[in-house]
Amino acid sequence: MLVLTRNEGQTILIGDDIRVTVVSTKGGQVRFGIEAPRDVIVLREELRDRDAGTGPGPVPVDVRD
């Protein structure tokens, strides 16, 4: 596991086409903005674990609409 320290507004690049930006920090919480191609599913781990084994899996959603 790679552990990085970032401040608000700073970005981490994953490969050539995924960007993770620290949007804000407040009260021990961190808000991230994630830019990824439409074919990449972005899902919080606890939701994946909760839904494991039930149904066909997550459906990509375009949040830009």
Side-chain angles (χ1 to χ4, degrees):
M1 175 186 299
L2 174 63
V3 179
L4 300 171
T5 301
R6 300 278 77 199
N7 294 313
E8 288 185 26
Q10 293 182 320
T11 299
I12 297 168
L13 302 175
I14 302 173
D16 291 330
D17 52 4
I18 299 175
R19 298 170 56 94
V20 180
T21 302
V22 178
V23 175
S24 66
T25 58
K26 182 178 179 182
Q29 291 188 330
V30 179
R31 293 183 68 205
F32 294 103
I34 302 170
E35 297 175 55
R38 289 180 179 263
D39 63 328
V40 173
I41 296 172
V42 178
L43 186 65
R44 293 188 340 234
E45 184 176 33
E46 65 271 17
L47 295 179
R48 184 206 59 197
D49 293 346
R50 181 193 71 187
D51 295 338
T54 60
V59 175
V61 175
D62 185 2
V63 296
R64 294 172 279 193
D65 289 343

